[in-house]
Amino acid sequence: MSRRAAAKEGSSSAYTSFQQKRRAQALDRQKNAREDKVQQLRTLALAAIQDDAEAMHEDTQQQPQNRQQQRHRRRGQQQQQQQELPQDTQLYGMDGVNPLQLGGSMMKAYFARQLMQPEWMSDIPQDLGSSWLVMPRPEGKRCLVISTGNYTYARSRTGALLLRFPSKLPGGGPGTSGGESCYCVLDCILQEQEQRIQHQHNQQQQQQRVGMDADMAPAGESTPSQPQQHSANGSSSSSSSGGCTFFIQDVLAWRGYSLVDCGAEFRLFWLASKLQEEAGGSSSSSSWSLDGGNPGPSHSHRFKLLPYWHATPDGLAAAARAGAAAAAAAAAAAGGCPGYVQDGVYLRHVEGHYSQGGGCTPLALLWKDAGCSRYLLDTDGDGVVPEFQQLVLAYQGPPTDGVATADEPPVVLGRLPQEFVQQMGPKLLRPGRLLRFSIRAGGLLFNADGSPAGADLAYEGPANQRRGRADVYTKVLFQWQARRQPLQLEALLAAAVAEQQQQGAGQQQGSSMADD
Amino acid sequence: MAAPVEVTQLLLHAQDPDANVRSLAEQKISQFQEHDYPGFLASLAAELSSLAKPADSRRLAGLVLKNTLDAKDESRKAELQARWGAVDPTLKNQIREALLSTLQMEPQDVRHTAALVLAKVAAIDLPRREWPNLISSLLANMSATPPHHGVRQATLETLGYVCEEMASINDEVLAPEQINMVLTAVVAGMRPDEPSDDARLAATTALQNAIEFAEHNFDNESERNYIMQMVCQGASARDERIRIASFTCLHEIAANYYAKLPAYMGEVFAISVKAINEDSEDVGLQAVEFWSTLCDIELDLADEDDPAEVNHHFIKAVVPHLVPVLLKQLTKQDEGQEQEETAWNLAMASGTCLGLLARTAEDAIVLQVMPFVTENIGKNTTAEDWRLREAATFAFGSILEGPSPRSLAEIVRQAMGFLLAAMKDPHPYVRDTTAWTIGRVFEFQHDAGNTDVPELITRETLPQVAQVLLGGLGDQVHIAVRVCDAIGRLAEGFTGYAGQSSPLSPFFKEIITNLLNASSRSDPSHGDSTRLQISAFEAINDMVRAASPDTLDTVGQLTPVFLQEIAKTFNMVTASGEQREKQAELQGQLCGVLQVIMQKLSEVEQYKAAVLQYADQIMETLLRVFGNQTCSVHEEAMLAVGAFTYACGRQFTKYLPSLYPYLKMGLMNHQEWQVCLSTVGVLGDISRNVETDLLPYCDEIMQLLIHNLGSNDVHRSIKPQILSTFGDLALVLGDSFEKYLETVKRMLSQAMHLSVMQAQSSADDDFLDYNNELRIGILEAYSGIFQGLGPGKADLQMKSEVPLIIEFANSIGRDATLDDTVVRNCVNLLGDICTVVNHVGPILRQARTNDWEKLLNYCSDSGHLLGDTEWAINAVHTAVEQAA
């Protein structure tokens, strides 16, 4: 009688059922742990799935036909974009986005939030000489480099995948892996092969730029007219099929150990010593480099740690001429370590953590003057400095119809006139849409305390939505000042000297962290 | 030609009271069987069919013959059947004739033995289309004149057994005319004017086995009416055995021809109520069982919700009429039945039936039962009123599952105080049932994680509840067992409680302490305290599972307590097999608690240390238990090891050398398949935690796993688990897995082939369930391999497998009903492939069909699957788009 056993849940078979419960619990545990494990690897491997056609340069050679078609298609898209404000393609508004691209853009959004966003220096910190580190900033694409699962991935500031290649970074190539926990994440500037020093403007390059779309570094912060290697006729090797250089600015994680919560000084110290360990500890050079490992067309990317100093007068001076020094050294070494064209300096507070999440941090600053940068003022697509300062702002939507910077919270610099909003219509003018403006005669407006109050804006047209976000206020301010009263190196030196004098003569020595 | 040998003495000796004589005879019998199988068969048949021989030796000859044709073990059975099949046809005929002739011979019990043997021979012969005249020979016995009651009875028995054998064979062995003739003969034997009650009983019993073949006859209204008439008349036969058998026939009819019942329900209701109210208890029990069976059927129908299957909702209709009848039976308790675990009488059967009615009729039951409950639950005027109180409580407890929580919430809330007070009832049976009912209240009405229902147990009410339950732990053992269960359900209801501290937290330590005391209680009033021990440990497990963060310190303190308890078991006296078994069982329970504790603590990073401080001790203890090996303990200790690995992480590596022999032993334990299965699972746990440190053992482990996968001795449930474990190993070993890759790829493609073939041939649910398990194993294995190898390697090594995998996905996509877990795993695997293999898009586009797209769409449309699979859907879409 089976019912007899079930009657009042008689526990004659209790042990078996309790044991069954534990088995089920164990199975659950195993199932979940298995899924977690595979999910970890998935997350890492996912880095490779999107933008492949755009960024995997081997495609250029393998499928020229296909590649050309794609380029053609994208060029078409871009033209359309410029002409009629196409369907929304910006990061967070998914409406109208082809769902096939959703994964990619979600992924990009994630990676785009990983890089620390510095502010532009509009006034000099009080503790510049004592609490800041300074590093030369090469021209190139800011990118996030992730080494994991025997591959190394480079992602642009907007999160797009630029390169995938094996490297000697821990976890970044065959023979380097120490298990799945072994991965590194670096903050780098990518200098593509044979990056031409000479500044050129011509029609051809314009076309190339049109072909760049998502890969394009946002205008402004990097050098807008920097020559790109996507040649229109596809004849020569693509931008990075050989010999790119990654200049390491910062480290987010090393061998699975996260450093984002450490101070900048510690991070850079850690990075320098770890890189030295990897290199066999033989060299004391700060310009340690890991070349690509096994020889081969796509294996020859180099990593190079940028030198840095405390922002003492000596340190600042050294950093400001570091690019020229490196170029000279490169020329002397004839094909050895690569030089670079400098674009200002990068300053970090010694105790500043690696700030993530997309917002700017005041503990990391960019500065440049005409002495250490070819482009003090932003240029347009043709490499020409426009008459009026250009800026990109995001439309905030009704009811305010404000246009604002990318800061958190956003700084509202103006409002769109009602008629303009109506004319564009809600389909084209969604909240978040990026618009290009220029600052006219009225200039930037300030409140009594110096905080921003607005600007005399003129609408120039839609911005490239793919750049991901509007300009930040400090950048606008920096450019504004640069056109009027640029902050010169001398002012920085003077501030550092004054600080030293204030603190007494005993500590004047600029402790160089590394030999140049 | 085998000549019969005289075996009478041998057979009689085999029944000798002297063990030496007996075992010598048994030995000779089995030698005879081995050395001269045909002669052996011939001799037994001759003995059985020889009137001159003693009934004892004839009967034993029949039983030995039957055992040469049938065995419980399936593979042994197939062997025996094949052996009979190969016997010389002339000898087979000779034996068949001997069996048929035995039916004609006195005495009746030898006829009965012959009937049993006949059915076993028929089970082998009929599917092979041998013995074509069996049925007609049997039917001739039925129509012989003058009728011989004994022969008719034995023939009806034979027909019943033959039908029973045929039912266990899936093929349609009997021709429709044969079935018709059998049924006609059987139903004729059931007529009220059948002069022999024994024959009528044999006919009624035979019908139970024949009913499932009577589909055609049940389609025909007049035949159906006739059969039903015979069965219902049998329910009032003068012989009680016939009445019982008739109700059993009704169960079978309901199970097979539910749709055809409406016309007969009026009469069936009448005879069943009459039986419950007036007949003997044994008949009444069968009548109650009819309604329980009907509930089972309607619950299944409601569950499957297949529009092709009609649900007459008989139960909803009968509730107002049947419930009063059943409630009356609840007061017919046996004195002291609470002491007897398996007590089964009208009161128990009616309560059980009431529970099933509640689950079937749901809310409709409440109003029918509650007046009885409220009227009787407090009755206390005469000494016998405990019956009313117990019955009322039992009735209340029975209807807690089924009706919506909403319809019961208020009633239960009001009853709580009463139930708690009743735990002090003077009558132990009332306290027993009250404890059971409180447990049911917690099980069905108490879920702190469910915000839709007002909380039953709050911080205000819990102190009283806890106090009463703790008191109950000291009551008689059978009551304490129920209290343990109630505590477990109480804790379970707090599992979903969010936050640092649950209302149970303040009582956590006290309850655990009291449960520990209860587990070690030795109660002279109750010989067997094992039940209480098992229940107390399980209640501790439930408490630990439900522990909120602020009680994890207490949980941590339990580790040394249970290590100590396990250590004590090694001092138990283990002279007899029974004592060793008892020791092993206790060790199993204790390891079980340890497993639950370690799993709970390992879930919270900072409490892993609470396990780790005893790490060496834990492992030593578990190894000692392994050394004491019997099946059950072995498994529980193995599962405990699995939980332990999560606390250790990579540190577990240091225990690998000492554990490995047992791991290996577990993987090789094909007989106790649960042990093997659990070991495979734990291997996965270990691999995830020690990662590449497992490498030195992997060659042998892989060999064992691959062997198991290919072996027929290995229970099929283990095989999907082994495939998943390949995935686990591939995931952590990375490149080092490459050397096994060729073999594993081959195993997986075989498994996929098998699964696709299985999916094509329509099969029963059990089969579909297994195929889904197999699919999950395959999918998990591939996911582990693709992700373990990573981009470059996977592209190089696995790309050739991709078309096969896509066909496999297509096969899944063609399922009529998609299984969530299978689909999720499959879509994720497709995502894995598109992530790590280049240019999968064209392969997807070129697949023979694109049923795989259905899987993606299924996930996209499903709210709960989308989150886990969105990345994969996007990865696949991207790959396909790029191929465009």
Side-chain angles (χ1 to χ4, degrees), chain A residues 328-379:
Chain A
C337 58
Y340 54 89
V341 179
Q342 191 169 354
D343 185 23
V345 299
Y346 184 26
L347 293 128
R348 272 157 295 178
H349 192 278
V350 288
E351 283 164 14
H353 290 187
Y354 194 96
S355 162
Q356 290 172 301
C360 288
T361 170
L363 296 181
L365 293 171
L366 293 174
W367 168 86
K368 60 186 174 185
D369 70 2
C372 61
S373 169
R374 293 189 291 164
Y375 314 104
L376 176 57
L377 298 183
D378 288 348
T379 51

Side-chain angles (χ1 to χ4, degrees), chain A residues 223-404:
Chain A
T223 55
S225 58
Q226 175 186 308
Q228 302 292 345
Q229 301 303 310
H230 291 258
S231 65
N233 56 20
S235 62
S236 73
S237 67
S238 65
S239 64
S240 46
S241 62
C244 292
T245 303
F246 290 92
F247 292 100
I248 310 174
Q249 296 194 106
D250 210 332
V251 57
L252 288 76
W254 188 265
R255 282 198 177 273
Y257 173 56
S258 170
L259 290 147
V260 294
D261 292 330
C262 304
E265 187 164 19
F266 179 82
R267 291 199 307 275
L268 291 175
F269 158 76
W270 190 261
L271 181 64
S273 52
K274 291 295 152 184
L275 285 171
Q276 231 166 62
E277 275 172 29
E278 291 302 321
S282 60
S283 164
S284 62
S285 165
S286 65
S287 57
W288 173 91
S289 60
L290 279 168
D291 62 22
N294 305 333
S298 60
H299 286 205
S300 51
H301 304 313
R302 282 174 296 269
F303 285 89
K304 197 164 149 67
L305 176 58
L306 289 163
Y308 62 99
W309 297 266
H310 273 277
T312 57
D314 291 348
L316 286 164
R321 58 175 146 74
C337 58
Y340 54 89
V341 179
Q342 191 169 354
D343 185 23
V345 299
Y346 184 26
L347 293 128
R348 272 157 295 178
H349 192 278
V350 288
E351 283 164 14
H353 290 187
Y354 194 96
S355 162
Q356 290 172 301
C360 288
T361 170
L363 296 181
L365 293 171
L366 293 174
W367 168 86
K368 60 186 174 185
D369 70 2
C372 61
S373 169
R374 293 189 291 164
Y375 314 104
L376 176 57
L377 298 183
D378 288 348
T379 51
D380 66 12
D382 298 335
V384 174
V385 177
E387 184 187 354
F388 300 105
Q389 180 183 344
Q390 307 275 311
L391 70 165
V392 172
L393 297 172
Y395 172 59
Q396 291 187 304
T400 63
D401 292 325
V403 286

Side-chain angles (χ1 to χ4, degrees), chain A residues 3-4 8 11-12 15 18-19 21-23 25 29-30 33-35 37 41-42 45 49 151, chain B residues 289 296 341 433 541-542 545 599 635-636 681 685 688 691 728 780 787 792 824 832 835 871:
Chain A
R3 280 200 214 288
R4 197 177 305 206
K8 282 197 187 175
S11 41
S12 54
Y15 180 66
F18 295 155
Q19 193 183 18
K21 196 165 164 186
R22 281 194 289 276
R23 282 181 189 135
Q25 202 184 358
R29 175 190 70 215
Q30 286 157 1
R34 176 177 295 135
E35 280 178 12
K37 196 99 189 172
L41 284 198
R42 270 176 190 149
I49 66 164
Y151 270 101
Chain B
E289 178 64 22
D296 288 343
E341 217 179 307
T433 302
N541 287 339
D542 286 327
R545 288 179 183 121
Q599 177 152 354
E635 191 194 346
E636 290 276 17
D685 289 331
R688 272 184 288 279
E691 304 197 334
D728 295 342
E780 288 183 337
Q787 291 292 1
R824 182 167 50 88
D832 290 330
T835 312
W871 72 274

Side-chain angles (χ1 to χ4, degrees), chain B residues 8 46-55 57-58 105-106:
Chain B
T8 315
E47 181 78 15
L48 175 66
S49 59
S50 168
L51 256 181
K53 300 292 184 182
S57 71
R58 291 178 64 196
M105 296 176 201
E106 297 291 344

